[in-house]
Amino acid sequence: MPEWKNINQPRRQVIPQTGLTWPGILKNKREYMPKTYGDLWPIVMSWNNLYAAYLEAARGKRYRPEVLKFAANLEENLINIQNHLYWKTWTPGRWREFIVHEPKIRHIQAPPFKDRVVHHALVRVIEPLFERKFIYDSYACRVGKGTHTAVLRTQEFLRRAKAEWDQTYVLKADISKYFPSIRHDPLLRIVKRTIRDKDILWLCETIIRNCGENGRGIPVGALTSQLFANIYLDRLDHFIKDELGIKFYTRYMDDWIIFCDTKKQLWSILDLATDFLTFELGLRLNPKTSAFPAGRGVDFCGYRIWTTHLLPRKRNVKRARRRFCKFIKLYSEGYISLEKVRASVMSFLGYMKHCSGFKTTESVLGELVLRKKKIG
């Protein structure tokens, strides 16, 4: 994909479906003022909301040291948070940073537990307001959505596209280094299109500007980051669906899929989407973005998708084989328990049950033979 040296002179591409061009498409639409919401601050800092936020933040983590410490003086800690929010003296604590290597290397920044309570309290109130504006086919970090729903919806779109057209092509794209690339100022402007409560905006800005460098970046490990990341790319969703009129489009966080009947049409859409991401959101597409015939199958959300069946992603199966091979050695030497191995096996079975992978499952688990090393 070429780089554009003069960003003040973006390309004008004709959209095959409509004949419109970008930039300038939005001027052809009726201007409207988005609905905004106020008087939310008392709800966020109410005792009932803070207590419910604590319960959500502690779910599945009740016996971790920091959660036990917080719960030992629960009322005092919640009142302390409430007072800091009331007087606008709340400041985020130090992030816990670590690296995960699967499925790829990610730098995770997790807030301390007391901050997670604040994040849950905020998200509980504002998320439903943004949820009303999200398109249906955005599937990451939303209630009732998720990877499996995204996969089934993509398969449905693939079937409908093949029934409608003689030949179907796929555009598979994702954003390069998405979370570190989110710009704070545009994100806050987008939030203000829905929230007008100044106190809520103060809390959002405090959380957003606490991380990143040079006005960019939000942490991967925070609940608010998941919501803000969806809010940021909701602009792209509405551009593609409303302005370009694309019917077969699904997005899971920064990965998205479009089906069309010609490659030329897909490249035109990609050019327009690239300009929109660059000039409106300050984002770049991954160079691996590609367009190809749908007959090859669509690799999306961990599965390979065809109209008739789903298959597991090859690298996920290879990763499982390597992990189980490592477990055989660790178990024989007494470094891991049978419960640890069983949990990993159940996770693998949960992944495989959603696709046509009986023989693969049988082959992978058939290699997992556990024996304790004899001493003496």
Side-chain angles (χ1 to χ4, degrees):
M1 192 180 300
E3 296 288 338
W4 302 106
K5 297 181 180 179
N6 185 354
I7 65 172
N8 294 318
Q9 296 180 359
R11 294 167 293 171
R12 288 185 177 271
Q13 292 285 338
V14 176
I15 306 170
Q17 297 94 320
T18 63
L20 298 176
T21 60
W22 168 262
I25 296 174
L26 298 177
K27 296 179 181 179
N28 293 285
K29 295 290 183 178
R30 180 173 58 88
E31 295 291 333
Y32 67 94
M33 289 297 292
K35 184 175 181 179
T36 58
Y37 299 87
D39 301 322
L40 303 173
W41 189 240
I43 304 174
V44 169
M45 57 179 290
S46 68
W47 174 266
N48 288 342
N49 187 56
L50 289 175
Y51 180 68
Y54 155 75
L55 294 177
E56 290 181 1
R59 186 178 297 132
K61 308 178 183 71
R62 290 178 57 191
Y63 299 107
R64 293 185 180 181
E66 62 173 341
V67 181
L68 289 172
K69 183 178 179 181
F70 189 93
N73 297 290
L74 179 59
E75 292 187 8
E76 180 182 339
N77 287 324
L78 291 181
I79 290 172
N80 185 44
I81 289 174
Q82 192 176 47
N83 287 334
H84 279 297
L85 291 176
Y86 181 84
W87 294 107
K88 306 293 189 303
T89 56
W90 179 83
T91 54
R94 184 176 180 180
W95 300 92
R96 181 170 61 91
E97 301 187 22
F98 55 95
I99 303 293
V100 296
H101 296 273
E102 292 187 5
K104 59 183 178 181
I105 296 178
R106 294 182 187 274
H107 182 210
I108 307 297
Q109 295 171 301
F113 181 76
K114 62 179 182 178
D115 287 0
R116 293 206 297 270
V117 174
V118 176
H119 292 193
H120 276 271
L122 175 63
V123 170
R124 280 174 53 81
V125 175
I126 69 171
E127 184 177 38
L129 309 180
F130 289 99
E131 184 70 28
R132 298 170 189 172
K133 298 185 176 184
F134 290 160
I135 67 167
Y136 180 85
D137 290 311
S138 166
Y139 291 91
C141 307
R142 296 177 65 189
V143 177
K145 303 284 187 174
T147 55
H148 300 304
T149 310
V151 167
L152 293 177
R153 181 65 164 175
T154 303
Q155 187 180 48
E156 176 193 340
F157 279 165
L158 182 56
R159 288 169 177 163
R160 288 167 55 184
K162 287 208 168 186
E164 185 172 329
W165 303 317
D166 295 331
Q167 182 68 40
T168 302
Y169 291 89
V170 185
L171 173 66
K172 186 176 184 293
D174 68 278
I175 311 299
S176 177
K177 299 179 181 178
Y178 177 49
F179 278 79
S181 300
I182 293 176
R183 295 163 60 190
H184 296 169
D185 289 338
L187 173 58
L188 288 168
R189 285 197 296 269
I190 295 170
V191 171
K192 289 177 182 178
R193 291 173 62 86
T194 300
I195 305 295
R196 67 172 182 271
D197 188 308
K198 293 183 179 179
D199 297 320
I200 297 288
L201 293 174
W202 164 80
L203 182 56
C204 289
E205 184 168 5
T206 301
I207 293 172
I208 290 169
R209 295 198 186 280
N210 182 56
C211 199
E213 298 179 356
N214 301 319
R216 284 179 178 266
I218 59 176
V220 176
L223 179 68
T224 49
S225 296
Q226 298 172 5
L227 176 60
F228 291 144
N230 262 338
I231 291 171
Y232 203 63
L233 276 189
D234 182 59
R235 291 285 308 279
L236 174 67
D237 295 341
H238 284 285
F239 174 73
I240 290 176
K241 295 290 288 185
D242 301 339
E243 306 302 331
L244 302 189
I246 305 303
K247 183 163 54 173
F248 302 130
Y249 165 81
T250 53
R251 177 176 68 83
Y252 189 91
M253 197 50 74
D254 60 324
D255 295 314
W256 38 286
I257 296 284
I258 292 176
F259 295 114
C260 277
D261 58 343
T262 66
K263 261 192 178 182
K264 182 179 179 181
Q265 203 171 38
L266 284 180
W267 289 125
S268 296
I269 293 168
L270 179 61
D271 286 344
L272 295 167
T274 300
D275 286 343
F276 183 86
L277 288 167
T278 301
F279 304 121
E280 296 292 325
L281 301 178
L283 300 174
R284 291 186 304 109
L285 284 174
N286 192 316
K288 294 181 180 179
T289 296
S290 59
F292 52 89
R296 287 168 41 186
V298 181
D299 189 337
F300 188 56
C301 288
Y303 295 92
R304 291 177 292 154
I305 306 168
W306 283 268
T307 55
T308 55
H309 63 287
L310 306 174
L311 289 179
R313 183 179 279 169
K314 291 181 179 179
R315 65 173 176 264
N316 290 350
V317 176
K318 290 180 180 178
R319 190 181 302 121
R321 287 186 188 275
R322 289 196 300 268
R323 183 169 65 250
F324 291 151
C325 183
K326 183 179 178 182
F327 282 174
I328 292 172
K329 182 178 179 181
L330 293 176
Y331 181 80
S332 70
E333 297 175 353
Y335 289 114
I336 60 171
S337 65
L338 186 60
E339 287 71 23
K340 171 74 173 178
V341 178
R342 184 182 291 114
S344 186
V345 169
M346 295 307 295
S347 175
F348 178 68
L349 290 174
Y351 167 70
M352 294 298 295
K353 75 177 184 180
H354 294 280
C355 61
S356 304
F358 177 78
K359 290 185 178 180
T360 301
T361 304
E362 192 176 49
S363 172
V364 172
L365 296 184
E367 299 170 3
L368 182 62
V369 180
L370 301 176
R371 293 188 183 94
K372 286 285 188 181
K373 182 183 290 185
K374 292 182 179 180
I375 300 176

